Amino acid sequence: MTDPKLPSRRALRFLAILAAFVALVWIIVFVGENIAHYRSLAKQQRAGEPGGVPRRPQP
Protein backbone atom coordinates (compact mmCIF):
# COMPACT_ATOMS: atom_id res chain seq x y z
CA MET A 1 0.00 0.00 0.00
CA THR A 2 1.37 3.40 -0.95
CA ASP A 3 1.11 6.62 0.97
CA PRO A 4 -1.17 9.04 -0.92
CA LYS A 5 0.81 12.02 0.37
CA LEU A 6 3.94 11.01 -1.55
CA PRO A 7 4.25 11.76 -5.26
CA SER A 8 4.22 8.82 -7.63
CA ARG A 9 7.37 7.42 -9.20
CA ARG A 10 6.17 8.66 -12.56
CA ALA A 11 5.88 12.22 -11.24
CA LEU A 12 9.32 12.03 -9.66
CA ARG A 13 10.83 10.71 -12.89
CA PHE A 14 9.14 13.51 -14.85
CA LEU A 15 10.48 16.15 -12.45
CA ALA A 16 13.98 14.68 -12.63
CA ILE A 17 13.92 14.70 -16.45
CA LEU A 18 12.56 18.25 -16.48
CA ALA A 19 15.26 19.43 -14.07
CA ALA A 20 17.98 17.76 -16.16
CA PHE A 21 16.62 19.37 -19.33
CA VAL A 22 16.50 22.85 -17.76
CA ALA A 23 20.04 22.42 -16.42
CA LEU A 24 21.28 21.29 -19.84
CA VAL A 25 19.69 24.28 -21.61
CA TRP A 26 21.13 26.66 -18.99
CA ILE A 27 24.62 25.18 -19.40
CA ILE A 28 24.42 25.43 -23.20
CA VAL A 29 23.33 29.08 -23.02
CA PHE A 30 25.97 29.95 -20.40
CA VAL A 31 28.81 28.29 -22.31
CA GLY A 32 27.61 29.81 -25.59
CA GLU A 33 27.63 33.31 -24.10
CA ASN A 34 31.15 32.81 -22.76
CA ILE A 35 32.42 31.57 -26.12
CA ALA A 36 30.78 34.48 -27.92
CA HIS A 37 32.24 36.96 -25.43
CA TYR A 38 35.79 35.65 -25.79
CA ARG A 39 35.54 35.51 -29.59
CA SER A 40 34.31 39.11 -29.64
CA LEU A 41 37.12 40.15 -27.28
CA ALA A 42 39.75 38.42 -29.42
CA LYS A 43 38.32 40.08 -32.55
CA GLN A 44 38.52 43.51 -30.88
CA GLN A 45 42.11 42.92 -29.81
CA ARG A 46 43.11 41.83 -33.33
CA ALA A 47 41.46 44.92 -34.80
CA GLY A 48 43.10 47.19 -32.22
CA GLU A 49 39.79 48.46 -30.92
CA PRO A 50 39.43 49.50 -27.29
CA GLY A 51 37.32 47.40 -25.00
CA GLY A 52 39.73 44.74 -23.89
CA VAL A 53 41.84 44.74 -20.77
CA PRO A 54 44.38 47.56 -21.06
CA ARG A 55 47.98 46.41 -21.14
CA ARG A 56 50.82 48.12 -19.38
CA PRO A 57 53.01 50.14 -21.74
CA GLN A 58 56.26 48.44 -22.69
CA PRO A 59 59.34 50.17 -21.20
Side-chain angles (χ1 to χ4, degrees):
M1 190 168 204
T2 60
D3 187 0
K5 294 179 185 175
L6 295 175
S8 68
R9 286 184 179 215
R10 189 176 184 180
L12 290 175
R13 187 180 308 139
F14 174 75
L15 287 175
I17 291 171
L18 182 64
F21 178 74
V22 169
L24 182 65
V25 169
W26 185 83
I27 289 171
I28 289 171
V29 168
F30 183 74
V31 170
E33 285 181 356
N34 278 346
I35 291 172
H37 170 71
Y38 285 114
R39 282 186 179 172
S40 173
L41 186 62
K43 186 177 178 183
Q44 287 176 359
Q45 287 176 346
R46 281 195 306 269
E49 299 175 11
V53 177
R55 297 184 180 186
R56 292 188 338 203
Q58 295 296 329

